Amino acid sequence: MEKLKAIRGMNDILPDESFKWEAFEHVIREWAASFGYKNLRTPILESTNLFVRSIGEVTDIVEKEMYSFSDRLNGEELTLRPEGTASAVRAVIEHNLTYSAPQRVYYMGPMFRHERPQKGRYRQFHQVGVESMGIPGSDIDAEHILMGASLWRELGLEEISLEVNSLGSSEDRATFKEALVEYLTARRDELDEDSIRRLTKNPLRILDSKNPDMQSVIEGAPKLINFLSDKSQKIFDEFKRVLDINRIDCRVNPTLVRGLDYYNDIVYEWKTEKLGSQGTICAGGRYDGLSEQIGGKAIPACGFAMGIERILALVDLNSRRFSVKSPDAYLIYSGQGTDVIAWETAQRFRADGISCVLHCGGGSFKSQMKRADSSGANFAVIVGEEELSQGGLTVKPLRTGDLQQTVKYDAAIALIKDARDS
């Protein structure tokens, strides 16, 4: 019988790695709360139309990458979420969360895109997203940048650069689009197949092309930043001013566009050169029109998302290791009647704040000690017939050269806690 394997590009996160994820997720919860953001959890399965209307029909995500299907039970068109912002906005609209107050929310979870799997890019990948809804003005965009900078410091990450741009208003983009189409049409022979197809449907998407052969064409194209209205220019200037006040270095990249259609005005990306071609670790911007696109009232909004896999890869490269949380004690027992005491002791340990693994599966004393040592626990706690007769526990240090001691329960607790907390 053929051995079944995980789907290509959808990876198991094994215990030797998952402790990093747990530690990172803890950092994220504390970090988000420190800025006043609350957790929002949305389904991984949404109506396909949500993403077609929000992301844009003429995008790689909708055209090539979404996992979409018809529910055979009722015929609904469904899609595994390829990104989190549309789901977050849908939830806020559906539950009318901005009725009484603006919302600051964050989410963590898996996203799905049918891309060619490679290091740092998977078909099931995980993101942290931060969204603010109901807050106008560029100060909230600047706060999101400060949140990113704060997180990089918390994680000990270095050599991360910030690129910013403005996409202007829809009117600004319409004027720019005319100039861009004129320029690209004159160089049609230099365009690749995707760009030719987008030329009549969504020419701004051409600026997001990753085809190396297209880069000279893109570099010579008109720059959207030169078509900004006074209003959009003022928004962008104020945004940069707040960054400057907070000593956040950034570079204006006039070719920077987002891969999703719902963005307007401020957009940005945090980048590193340490991850090769997957150098963007966090990206976002403003999307004031998205709520209307999916059937709600106009809500000023902005946000960003970061790839957890890429962040953790960068944490490893920067030599910061999230520590493995090993048990405080590994409890061994042998001999008639010792199992009752062992089970009671394990439960008492946990109630008293001592993490404890109770040996299961039998075996010789030697084999149990090997298990204790490999568990990573600081102590083996032994309950044998001798301990049973004395009413005590033998506490054997596993990570130091200290001698073992047979002591009463309270003294055992004190020994283990003192070593853990020192």
Side-chain angles (χ1 to χ4, degrees), residues 133-150:
M133 301 177 214
I135 305 175
S138 59
D139 50 356
I140 188 66
D141 299 85
E143 177 180 87
H144 286 179
I145 298 295
L146 295 179
M147 290 181 73
S150 171

Side-chain angles (χ1 to χ4, degrees), residues 84-85 107 127-131 263 268 281-284 303-307:
T85 299
Y107 54 84
Q127 286 188 339
V128 171
V130 169
E131 316 289 355
Y263 285 101
Y268 52 84
I281 61 168
C282 177
F304 64 88
M306 66 186 79

Side-chain angles (χ1 to χ4, degrees), residues 65-117:
E65 298 171 2
M66 292 202 315
Y67 284 93
S68 300
F69 60 94
S70 296
D71 187 330
R72 66 182 177 83
L73 299 179
N74 60 14
E76 284 185 294
E77 296 299 318
L78 304 175
T79 294
L80 288 170
R81 62 186 184 195
E83 58 94 33
T85 299
S87 294
V89 175
R90 190 269 309 150
V92 167
I93 293 171
E94 182 175 342
H95 301 285
N96 201 21
L97 296 185
T98 57
Y99 176 76
S100 58
Q103 294 293 312
R104 285 175 162 95
V105 299
Y106 78 96
Y107 54 84
M108 287 188 283
M111 311 294 165
F112 303 85
R113 297 184 193 178
H114 193 280
E115 300 183 285
R116 183 173 65 85

Side-chain angles (χ1 to χ4, degrees), residues 294-314:
I294 60 178
K297 296 180 180 179
I299 301 174
C302 58
F304 64 88
M306 66 186 79
I308 296 179
E309 284 88 350
R310 296 184 191 180
I311 297 291
L312 290 179
L314 202 55

Side-chain angles (χ1 to χ4, degrees), residues 99-257:
Y99 176 76
S100 58
Q103 294 293 312
R104 285 175 162 95
V105 299
Y106 78 96
Y107 54 84
M108 287 188 283
M111 311 294 165
F112 303 85
R113 297 184 193 178
H114 193 280
E115 300 183 285
R116 183 173 65 85
Q118 53 187 293
K119 186 175 182 180
R121 185 184 291 273
Y122 307 102
R123 290 176 177 174
Q124 176 177 308
F125 58 100
H126 300 76
Q127 286 188 339
V128 171
V130 169
E131 316 289 355
S132 298
M133 301 177 214
I135 305 175
S138 59
D139 50 356
I140 188 66
D141 299 85
E143 177 180 87
H144 286 179
I145 298 295
L146 295 179
M147 290 181 73
S150 171
L151 183 60
W152 314 147
R153 288 194 299 270
E154 174 69 21
L155 294 173
L157 302 183
E158 300 175 346
E159 298 180 39
I160 298 176
S161 61
L162 174 65
E163 295 184 357
V164 301
N165 193 23
S166 174
L167 301 182
S169 65
S170 57
E171 293 80 9
D172 298 340
R173 291 194 297 279
T175 304
F176 169 68
K177 179 179 175 181
E178 293 180 7
L180 180 62
V181 169
E182 181 180 350
Y183 166 81
L184 293 171
T185 301
R187 303 185 66 169
R188 185 183 179 92
D189 292 345
E190 300 175 57
L191 303 184
D192 60 16
E193 186 177 336
D194 271 350
S195 298
I196 291 173
R197 178 174 52 83
R198 289 170 170 167
L199 185 58
T200 56
K201 294 183 177 181
N202 194 344
L204 268 68
R205 299 264 40 85
I206 297 174
L207 299 178
D208 200 36
S209 172
K210 301 300 187 290
N211 184 349
D213 296 335
M214 285 291 299
Q215 296 313 302
S216 62
V217 176
I218 293 170
E219 288 171 7
K223 303 297 185 286
L224 177 51
I225 201 166
N226 296 326
F227 290 77
L228 298 182
S229 64
D230 290 343
K231 180 180 178 182
S232 288
Q233 186 65 59
K234 183 178 179 181
I235 291 170
F236 193 42
D237 289 344
E238 177 61 17
F239 169 69
K240 291 186 292 181
R241 187 185 74 84
V242 177
L243 297 188
D244 187 55
I245 289 172
N246 288 278
R247 299 177 182 176
I248 302 291
D249 293 329
C250 67
R251 180 177 77 87
V252 176
N253 178 359
T255 66
L256 175 62
V257 295

Side-chain angles (χ1 to χ4, degrees), residues 19 48 95 171 234 261 335 407:
F19 75 89
T48 298
H95 301 285
E171 293 80 9
K234 183 178 179 181
D261 277 357
V407 296

